PDB file of all heavy atoms in Angstrom:
ATOM      1  N   ARG A  27      77.285 104.914  78.908  1.00 93.00           N
ATOM      2  CA  ARG A  27      78.487 105.753  78.611  1.00 93.00           C
ATOM      3  C   ARG A  27      78.088 107.217  78.734  1.00 93.00           C
ATOM      4  O   ARG A  27      78.903 108.031  79.278  1.00 93.00           O
ATOM      5  CB  ARG A  27      79.117 105.422  77.267  1.00 93.00           C
ATOM      6  CG  ARG A  27      79.893 104.150  77.230  1.00 93.00           C
ATOM      7  CD  ARG A  27      80.748 104.030  76.009  1.00 93.00           C
ATOM      8  NE  ARG A  27      79.970 104.067  74.731  1.00 93.00           N
ATOM      9  CZ  ARG A  27      79.477 103.012  74.133  1.00 93.00           C
ATOM     10  NH1 ARG A  27      79.664 101.782  74.629  1.00 93.00           N
ATOM     11  NH2 ARG A  27      78.784 103.116  73.010  1.00 93.00           N
ATOM     12  N   HIS A  28      76.910 107.594  78.265  1.00 93.00           N
ATOM     13  CA  HIS A  28      76.490 108.969  78.362  1.00 93.00           C
ATOM     14  C   HIS A  28      76.362 109.426  79.825  1.00 93.00           C
ATOM     15  O   HIS A  28      76.815 110.483  80.215  1.00 93.00           O
ATOM     16  CB  HIS A  28      75.129 109.151  77.669  1.00 93.00           C
ATOM     17  CG  HIS A  28      74.585 110.577  77.703  1.00 93.00           C
ATOM     18  ND1 HIS A  28      75.152 111.589  77.022  1.00 93.00           N
ATOM     19  CD2 HIS A  28      73.507 111.090  78.375  1.00 93.00           C
ATOM     20  CE1 HIS A  28      74.435 112.678  77.232  1.00 93.00           C
ATOM     21  NE2 HIS A  28      73.473 112.362  78.049  1.00 93.00           N
ATOM     22  N   GLU A  29      75.752 108.588  80.693  1.00 94.00           N
ATOM     23  CA  GLU A  29      75.567 108.873  82.066  1.00 94.00           C
ATOM     24  C   GLU A  29      76.981 108.968  82.757  1.00 94.00           C
ATOM     25  O   GLU A  29      77.183 109.880  83.656  1.00 94.00           O
ATOM     26  CB  GLU A  29      74.728 107.835  82.819  1.00 94.00           C
ATOM     27  CG  GLU A  29      73.295 107.867  82.437  1.00 94.00           C
ATOM     28  CD  GLU A  29      72.621 109.199  82.773  1.00 94.00           C
ATOM     29  OE1 GLU A  29      72.941 109.761  83.845  1.00 94.00           O
ATOM     30  OE2 GLU A  29      71.789 109.682  82.025  1.00 94.00           O
ATOM     31  N   GLN A  30      77.896 108.087  82.349  1.00 94.00           N
ATOM     32  CA  GLN A  30      79.231 108.173  82.935  1.00 94.00           C
ATOM     33  C   GLN A  30      79.948 109.507  82.577  1.00 94.00           C
ATOM     34  O   GLN A  30      80.589 110.108  83.354  1.00 94.00           O
ATOM     35  CB  GLN A  30      80.103 106.957  82.450  1.00 94.00           C
ATOM     36  CG  GLN A  30      79.634 105.642  83.117  1.00 94.00           C
ATOM     37  CD  GLN A  30      80.373 104.475  82.430  1.00 94.00           C
ATOM     38  OE1 GLN A  30      80.982 104.597  81.354  1.00 94.00           O
ATOM     39  NE2 GLN A  30      80.245 103.256  83.072  1.00 94.00           N
ATOM     40  N   ALA A  31      79.766 109.869  81.302  1.00 93.00           N
ATOM     41  CA  ALA A  31      80.391 111.154  80.880  1.00 93.00           C
ATOM     42  C   ALA A  31      79.837 112.315  81.637  1.00 93.00           C
ATOM     43  O   ALA A  31      80.572 113.255  82.027  1.00 93.00           O
ATOM     44  CB  ALA A  31      80.198 111.305  79.374  1.00 93.00           C
ATOM     45  N   ILE A  32      78.528 112.373  81.878  1.00 94.00           N
ATOM     46  CA  ILE A  32      77.874 113.491  82.565  1.00 94.00           C
ATOM     47  C   ILE A  32      78.376 113.441  84.043  1.00 94.00           C
ATOM     48  O   ILE A  32      78.746 114.526  84.580  1.00 94.00           O
ATOM     49  CB  ILE A  32      76.335 113.307  82.514  1.00 94.00           C
ATOM     50  CG1 ILE A  32      75.827 113.652  81.116  1.00 94.00           C
ATOM     51  CG2 ILE A  32      75.709 114.229  83.544  1.00 94.00           C
ATOM     52  CD1 ILE A  32      74.309 113.441  80.960  1.00 94.00           C
ATOM     53  N   ALA A  33      78.485 112.297  84.640  1.00 93.00           N
ATOM     54  CA  ALA A  33      79.003 112.220  86.038  1.00 93.00           C
ATOM     55  C   ALA A  33      80.394 112.699  86.122  1.00 93.00           C
ATOM     56  O   ALA A  33      80.801 113.439  87.048  1.00 93.00           O
ATOM     57  CB  ALA A  33      78.841 110.831  86.551  1.00 93.00           C
ATOM     58  N   GLN A  34      81.237 112.303  85.161  1.00 93.00           N
ATOM     59  CA  GLN A  34      82.639 112.777  85.148  1.00 93.00           C
ATOM     60  C   GLN A  34      82.725 114.311  84.950  1.00 93.00           C
ATOM     61  O   GLN A  34      83.527 114.966  85.639  1.00 93.00           O
ATOM     62  CB  GLN A  34      83.407 112.068  84.039  1.00 93.00           C
ATOM     63  CG  GLN A  34      84.891 112.371  83.977  1.00 93.00           C
ATOM     64  CD  GLN A  34      85.587 111.617  82.882  1.00 93.00           C
ATOM     65  OE1 GLN A  34      84.971 110.943  82.097  1.00 93.00           O
ATOM     66  NE2 GLN A  34      86.873 111.685  82.891  1.00 93.00           N
ATOM     67  N   THR A  35      81.911 114.833  84.086  1.00 93.00           N
ATOM     68  CA  THR A  35      81.878 116.281  83.867  1.00 93.00           C
ATOM     69  C   THR A  35      81.461 117.063  85.146  1.00 93.00           C
ATOM     70  O   THR A  35      82.050 118.044  85.521  1.00 93.00           O
ATOM     71  CB  THR A  35      80.967 116.667  82.668  1.00 93.00           C
ATOM     72  OG1 THR A  35      81.402 115.979  81.476  1.00 93.00           O
ATOM     73  CG2 THR A  35      80.960 118.165  82.410  1.00 93.00           C
ATOM     74  N   ARG A  36      80.401 116.543  85.771  1.00 93.00           N
ATOM     75  CA  ARG A  36      80.004 117.157  86.993  1.00 93.00           C
ATOM     76  C   ARG A  36      81.070 117.123  88.064  1.00 93.00           C
ATOM     77  O   ARG A  36      81.267 118.064  88.807  1.00 93.00           O
ATOM     78  CB  ARG A  36      78.702 116.467  87.555  1.00 93.00           C
ATOM     79  CG  ARG A  36      77.460 116.835  86.803  1.00 93.00           C
ATOM     80  CD  ARG A  36      76.243 116.235  87.429  1.00 93.00           C
ATOM     81  NE  ARG A  36      75.118 116.526  86.597  1.00 93.00           N
ATOM     82  CZ  ARG A  36      74.037 115.753  86.470  1.00 93.00           C
ATOM     83  NH1 ARG A  36      73.969 114.604  87.096  1.00 93.00           N
ATOM     84  NH2 ARG A  36      73.003 116.111  85.708  1.00 93.00           N
ATOM     85  N   SER A  37      81.737 115.973  88.170  1.00 92.00           N
ATOM     86  CA  SER A  37      82.815 115.801  89.152  1.00 92.00           C
ATOM     87  C   SER A  37      83.963 116.802  88.889  1.00 92.00           C
ATOM     88  O   SER A  37      84.441 117.445  89.784  1.00 92.00           O
ATOM     89  CB  SER A  37      83.309 114.381  89.146  1.00 92.00           C
ATOM     90  OG  SER A  37      84.447 114.256  89.928  1.00 92.00           O
ATOM     91  N   SER A  38      84.342 116.906  87.667  1.00 91.00           N
ATOM     92  CA  SER A  38      85.512 117.821  87.372  1.00 91.00           C
ATOM     93  C   SER A  38      85.061 119.271  87.518  1.00 91.00           C
ATOM     94  O   SER A  38      85.842 120.100  87.967  1.00 91.00           O
ATOM     95  CB  SER A  38      85.977 117.612  85.944  1.00 91.00           C
ATOM     96  OG  SER A  38      84.992 117.890  84.988  1.00 91.00           O
ATOM     97  N   THR A  39      83.809 119.612  87.175  1.00 92.00           N
ATOM     98  CA  THR A  39      83.298 120.949  87.384  1.00 92.00           C
ATOM     99  C   THR A  39      83.315 121.291  88.922  1.00 92.00           C
ATOM    100  O   THR A  39      83.677 122.366  89.319  1.00 92.00           O
ATOM    101  CB  THR A  39      81.886 121.125  86.816  1.00 92.00           C
ATOM    102  OG1 THR A  39      81.955 120.845  85.402  1.00 92.00           O
ATOM    103  CG2 THR A  39      81.330 122.543  87.009  1.00 92.00           C
ATOM    104  N   GLN A  40      82.841 120.359  89.704  1.00 90.00           N
ATOM    105  CA  GLN A  40      82.799 120.625  91.146  1.00 90.00           C
ATOM    106  C   GLN A  40      84.211 120.747  91.708  1.00 90.00           C
ATOM    107  O   GLN A  40      84.465 121.574  92.572  1.00 90.00           O
ATOM    108  CB  GLN A  40      82.076 119.473  91.885  1.00 90.00           C
ATOM    109  CG  GLN A  40      81.833 119.701  93.286  1.00 90.00           C
ATOM    110  CD  GLN A  40      80.954 120.959  93.529  1.00 90.00           C
ATOM    111  OE1 GLN A  40      79.998 121.186  92.820  1.00 90.00           O
ATOM    112  NE2 GLN A  40      81.351 121.781  94.524  1.00 90.00           N
ATOM    113  N   THR A  41      85.172 119.972  91.167  1.00 89.00           N
ATOM    114  CA  THR A  41      86.555 120.137  91.613  1.00 89.00           C
ATOM    115  C   THR A  41      87.115 121.530  91.289  1.00 89.00           C
ATOM    116  O   THR A  41      87.758 122.144  92.130  1.00 89.00           O
ATOM    117  CB  THR A  41      87.413 119.045  90.925  1.00 89.00           C
ATOM    118  OG1 THR A  41      86.919 117.756  91.158  1.00 89.00           O
ATOM    119  CG2 THR A  41      88.856 119.112  91.326  1.00 89.00           C
ATOM    120  N   ILE A  42      86.809 122.007  90.107  1.00 86.00           N
ATOM    121  CA  ILE A  42      87.211 123.391  89.700  1.00 86.00           C
ATOM    122  C   ILE A  42      86.573 124.416  90.587  1.00 86.00           C
ATOM    123  O   ILE A  42      87.233 125.372  91.074  1.00 86.00           O
ATOM    124  CB  ILE A  42      86.881 123.609  88.217  1.00 86.00           C
ATOM    125  CG1 ILE A  42      87.798 122.750  87.324  1.00 86.00           C
ATOM    126  CG2 ILE A  42      87.087 125.075  87.869  1.00 86.00           C
ATOM    127  CD1 ILE A  42      87.344 122.724  85.899  1.00 86.00           C
ATOM    128  N   LEU A  43      85.250 124.298  90.866  1.00 85.00           N
ATOM    129  CA  LEU A  43      84.582 125.175  91.722  1.00 85.00           C
ATOM    130  C   LEU A  43      85.112 125.222  93.143  1.00 85.00           C
ATOM    131  O   LEU A  43      85.307 126.288  93.754  1.00 85.00           O
ATOM    132  CB  LEU A  43      83.081 124.936  91.749  1.00 85.00           C
ATOM    133  CG  LEU A  43      82.349 125.257  90.434  1.00 85.00           C
ATOM    134  CD1 LEU A  43      80.859 124.827  90.531  1.00 85.00           C
ATOM    135  CD2 LEU A  43      82.404 126.664  90.085  1.00 85.00           C
ATOM    136  N   ASP A  44      85.467 124.017  93.706  1.00 84.00           N
ATOM    137  CA  ASP A  44      86.082 123.942  94.935  1.00 84.00           C
ATOM    138  C   ASP A  44      87.434 124.647  95.063  1.00 84.00           C
ATOM    139  O   ASP A  44      87.751 125.331  95.987  1.00 84.00           O
ATOM    140  CB  ASP A  44      86.184 122.506  95.402  1.00 84.00           C
ATOM    141  CG  ASP A  44      84.801 121.849  95.661  1.00 84.00           C
ATOM    142  OD1 ASP A  44      83.838 122.587  95.811  1.00 84.00           O
ATOM    143  OD2 ASP A  44      84.759 120.605  95.691  1.00 84.00           O
ATOM    144  N   ALA A  45      88.210 124.486  93.907  1.00 81.00           N
ATOM    145  CA  ALA A  45      89.524 125.097  93.879  1.00 81.00           C
ATOM    146  C   ALA A  45      89.413 126.651  93.848  1.00 81.00           C
ATOM    147  O   ALA A  45      90.122 127.333  94.499  1.00 81.00           O
ATOM    148  CB  ALA A  45      90.310 124.592  92.606  1.00 81.00           C
ATOM    149  N   ILE A  46      88.432 127.086  93.069  1.00 79.00           N
ATOM    150  CA  ILE A  46      88.205 128.572  93.021  1.00 79.00           C
ATOM    151  C   ILE A  46      87.768 129.070  94.418  1.00 79.00           C
ATOM    152  O   ILE A  46      88.241 130.123  94.798  1.00 79.00           O
ATOM    153  CB  ILE A  46      87.192 128.868  91.880  1.00 79.00           C
ATOM    154  CG1 ILE A  46      87.776 128.614  90.563  1.00 79.00           C
ATOM    155  CG2 ILE A  46      86.691 130.282  92.031  1.00 79.00           C
ATOM    156  CD1 ILE A  46      86.751 128.712  89.375  1.00 79.00           C
ATOM    157  N   ALA A  47      86.896 128.396  95.047  1.00 75.00           N
ATOM    158  CA  ALA A  47      86.375 128.815  96.328  1.00 75.00           C
ATOM    159  C   ALA A  47      87.513 128.883  97.364  1.00 75.00           C
ATOM    160  O   ALA A  47      87.511 129.790  98.221  1.00 75.00           O
ATOM    161  CB  ALA A  47      85.294 127.908  96.789  1.00 75.00           C
ATOM    162  N   THR A  48      88.414 128.015  97.286  1.00 76.00           N
ATOM    163  CA  THR A  48      89.540 128.044  98.286  1.00 76.00           C
ATOM    164  C   THR A  48      90.557 129.133  97.932  1.00 76.00           C
ATOM    165  O   THR A  48      91.209 129.678  98.835  1.00 76.00           O
ATOM    166  CB  THR A  48      90.256 126.675  98.395  1.00 76.00           C
ATOM    167  OG1 THR A  48      90.791 126.291  97.082  1.00 76.00           O
ATOM    168  CG2 THR A  48      89.350 125.602  98.909  1.00 76.00           C
ATOM    169  N   GLN A  49      90.689 129.461  96.700  1.00 74.00           N
ATOM    170  CA  GLN A  49      91.704 130.508  96.284  1.00 74.00           C
ATOM    171  C   GLN A  49      91.158 131.884  96.416  1.00 74.00           C
ATOM    172  O   GLN A  49      91.932 132.866  96.652  1.00 74.00           O
ATOM    173  CB  GLN A  49      92.160 130.244  94.881  1.00 74.00           C
ATOM    174  CG  GLN A  49      92.969 128.994  94.720  1.00 74.00           C
ATOM    175  CD  GLN A  49      93.315 128.722  93.262  1.00 74.00           C
ATOM    176  OE1 GLN A  49      92.999 129.499  92.394  1.00 74.00           O
ATOM    177  NE2 GLN A  49      94.097 127.668  92.991  1.00 74.00           N
ATOM    178  N   VAL A  50      89.864 132.139  96.264  1.00 68.00           N
ATOM    179  CA  VAL A  50      89.290 133.399  96.267  1.00 68.00           C
ATOM    180  C   VAL A  50      88.511 133.604  97.580  1.00 68.00           C
ATOM    181  O   VAL A  50      87.636 132.766  97.917  1.00 68.00           O
ATOM    182  CB  VAL A  50      88.310 133.628  95.060  1.00 68.00           C
ATOM    183  CG1 VAL A  50      87.649 135.013  95.187  1.00 68.00           C
ATOM    184  CG2 VAL A  50      89.062 133.456  93.782  1.00 68.00           C
ATOM    185  N   GLU A  51      88.830 134.645  98.344  1.00 68.00           N
ATOM    186  CA  GLU A  51      88.129 134.980  99.581  1.00 68.00           C
ATOM    187  C   GLU A  51      86.810 135.596  99.230  1.00 68.00           C
ATOM    188  O   GLU A  51      86.706 136.387  98.360  1.00 68.00           O
ATOM    189  CB  GLU A  51      88.966 135.862 100.470  1.00 68.00           C
ATOM    190  CG  GLU A  51      90.259 135.262 100.891  1.00 68.00           C
ATOM    191  CD  GLU A  51      91.060 136.227 101.768  1.00 68.00           C
ATOM    192  OE1 GLU A  51      90.415 137.221 102.261  1.00 68.00           O
ATOM    193  OE2 GLU A  51      92.266 135.999 101.887  1.00 68.00           O
ATOM    194  N   LYS A  52      85.813 135.210 100.036  1.00 69.00           N
ATOM    195  CA  LYS A  52      84.491 135.838  99.846  1.00 69.00           C
ATOM    196  C   LYS A  52      84.555 137.285 100.412  1.00 69.00           C
ATOM    197  O   LYS A  52      85.158 137.449 101.440  1.00 69.00           O
ATOM    198  CB  LYS A  52      83.419 135.056 100.523  1.00 69.00           C
ATOM    199  CG  LYS A  52      83.185 133.716  99.953  1.00 69.00           C
ATOM    200  CD  LYS A  52      82.090 132.957 100.664  1.00 69.00           C
ATOM    201  CE  LYS A  52      81.869 131.586 100.033  1.00 69.00           C
ATOM    202  NZ  LYS A  52      80.803 130.828 100.740  1.00 69.00           N
ATOM    203  N   PRO A  53      84.013 138.221  99.704  1.00 71.00           N
ATOM    204  CA  PRO A  53      84.036 139.550 100.213  1.00 71.00           C
ATOM    205  C   PRO A  53      83.188 139.691 101.447  1.00 71.00           C
ATOM    206  O   PRO A  53      82.101 139.042 101.624  1.00 71.00           O
ATOM    207  CB  PRO A  53      83.438 140.423  99.092  1.00 71.00           C
ATOM    208  CG  PRO A  53      82.559 139.473  98.297  1.00 71.00           C
ATOM    209  CD  PRO A  53      83.278 138.103  98.428  1.00 71.00           C
ATOM    210  N   GLU A  54      83.651 140.481 102.380  1.00 77.00           N
ATOM    211  CA  GLU A  54      82.931 140.755 103.583  1.00 77.00           C
ATOM    212  C   GLU A  54      82.496 142.191 103.572  1.00 77.00           C
ATOM    213  O   GLU A  54      83.172 143.124 103.199  1.00 77.00           O
ATOM    214  CB  GLU A  54      83.832 140.509 104.808  1.00 77.00           C
ATOM    215  CG  GLU A  54      84.249 139.028 104.958  1.00 77.00           C
ATOM    216  CD  GLU A  54      85.051 138.834 106.218  1.00 77.00           C
ATOM    217  OE1 GLU A  54      85.157 139.767 107.075  1.00 77.00           O
ATOM    218  OE2 GLU A  54      85.661 137.773 106.327  1.00 77.00           O
ATOM    219  N   CYS A  55      81.292 142.419 104.103  1.00 79.00           N
ATOM    220  CA  CYS A  55      80.753 143.777 104.184  1.00 79.00           C
ATOM    221  C   CYS A  55      81.384 144.445 105.376  1.00 79.00           C
ATOM    222  O   CYS A  55      81.582 143.782 106.383  1.00 79.00           O
ATOM    223  CB  CYS A  55      79.227 143.755 104.300  1.00 79.00           C
ATOM    224  SG  CYS A  55      78.401 143.162 102.851  1.00 79.00           S
TER     225      CYS A  55
END
């Protein structure tokens, strides 16, 4: 159950990071 909870947390964190990356443009020099 602990491993499943860690995997679920990693998955949701990656989903949030992907959403942020698509909404925020990377700055260009």
Side-chain angles (χ1 to χ4, degrees):
R27 283 194 300 271
H28 179 72
E29 290 298 323
Q30 289 173 346
I32 289 175
Q34 185 179 6
T35 303
R36 284 185 183 149
S37 173
S38 62
T39 302
Q40 190 59 44
T41 303
I42 292 170
L43 290 175
D44 291 342
I46 290 172
T48 57
Q49 292 177 359
V50 178
E51 295 179 17
K52 292 182 182 179
E54 293 181 13
C55 294

